[in-house]
Amino acid sequence: MTTTFTYYGHACFSLEHNGKTWLFDPFISGNPKASSIDIDALNPDYILLSHGHADHVLDAVRIAKNSGAKVVASFEVHEWLHKQGVENTHPMNIGGEWDFGDGKVKCVVAHHSSVLPDGTYAGNPMGFILWLGDKSFYYAGDTSLTMDMQLIPRWASIHTAILPIGNNFTMGIEDAAIAATFVGAKSVIGVHFDTFGYIQVNHAHANDVFVDENVDLWLPQIGDSKSLI
Ligand code: NI
Ligand code: MN
């Protein structure tokens, strides 16, 4: 059964599988480049938040309340969501795994920082492995290249890795290409690029770097959808 990726800009995307939609890191209303996206038309079943920074959670409360989606996040972000009136949440932490019935999630290490927009401590940032049917996907969240990524092939055979490539706040292109080899992914979707001046990337150079690692790289445009399988 296929899984469809849809890009909403920055590090916001969804994976749709078997009639269920998993939305990651919603940041749309604060992204002028994503003005074509109708936030209130989004109707996910699950929302996964990698960490508390505004460019990952800005629209989470609004979409959660609109859709009733279950929000999966660190324990600290889960507590903050309850204070915002979001009831349907599932707290997790790094190393933990949970089978939601529609898919299984494992929280993995991300080296970054994490605080919510109002200054609330947000716990540690995370990445996710998501198993959908017989395929698995890795979303790194905001992170540097880490040695911990070498553990991921022990847990899952990653079909597609969704990696930040914008540099400055996260991995850049060269480190993301190494990350792809660490996690064993032959196919990468780049996110967290071109939104702000600090994270502009040269697309042709990015392609060259990934070709050298023999990894397929796709840099989606906002609104793009693609069947991954
Ligand atoms: Ni961040
Ligand atoms: Mn970010």
Side-chain angles (χ1 to χ4, degrees):
M1 196 171 293
T2 103
T3 295
T4 302
F5 172 97
T6 302
Y7 189 49
Y8 298 107
H10 198 52
C12 180
F13 61 94
S14 66
L15 295 175
E16 189 272 329
H17 177 87
N18 198 20
K20 300 291 181 185
T21 301
W22 304 72
L23 180 72
F24 294 75
D25 285 355
F27 171 72
I28 298 163
S29 63
N31 181 0
K33 297 189 169 182
S35 58
S36 62
I37 305 296
D38 179 1
I39 299 167
D40 295 320
L42 299 178
N43 191 27
D45 299 282
Y46 299 90
I47 300 171
L48 278 68
L49 303 178
S50 64
H51 64 296
H53 288 159
D55 63 316
H56 298 258
V57 306
L58 186 69
D59 298 311
V61 169
R62 176 170 166 186
I63 296 169
K65 287 181 178 175
N66 279 346
S67 62
K70 185 179 290 297
V71 188
V72 180
S74 72
F75 183 80
E76 293 81 1
V77 171
H78 139 94
E79 288 197 310
W80 177 83
L81 287 164
H82 277 251
K83 288 184 182 138
Q84 317 304 311
V86 176
E87 298 293 331
N88 188 13
T89 63
H90 184 104
M92 294 187 75
N93 213 328
I94 295 164
E97 197 174 287
W98 188 264
D99 190 342
F100 290 90
D102 301 310
K104 188 174 74 172
V105 172
K106 185 180 184 76
C107 299
V108 299
V109 167
H111 279 304
H112 191 65
S113 55
S114 188
V115 65
L116 285 149
D118 62 5
T120 301
Y121 173 66
N124 287 310
M126 310 191 290
F128 300 108
I129 301 170
L130 176 59
W131 286 263
L132 296 173
D134 59 356
K135 297 290 192 299
S136 56
F137 304 91
Y138 169 58
Y139 169 49
D142 280 7
T143 183
S144 67
L145 177 66
T146 77
M147 292 298 281
D148 300 80
M149 290 170 180
Q150 296 188 19
L151 287 168
I152 287 172
R154 296 207 175 194
W155 298 319
S157 174
I158 300 297
H159 181 276
T160 301
I162 297 141
L163 304 177
I165 61 156
N167 215 337
N168 192 72
F169 299 114
T170 68
M171 296 186 281
I173 291 156
E174 283 78 5
D175 284 355
I178 297 169
T181 68
F182 279 9
V183 306
K186 299 309 282 177
S187 180
V188 166
I189 301 173
V191 296
H192 215 276
F193 66 95
D194 288 358
T195 317
F196 318 112
Y198 291 124
I199 58 173
Q200 300 285 345
V201 304
N202 178 321
H203 293 214
H205 174 65
N207 276 309
D208 290 346
V209 168
F210 275 75
V211 165
D212 285 347
E213 294 287 357
N214 196 28
V215 173
D216 180 63
L217 174 68
W218 181 44
L219 301 182
Q221 307 262 346
I222 295 172
D224 276 353
S225 269
K226 183 178 175 181
S227 176
L228 298 183
I229 294 164

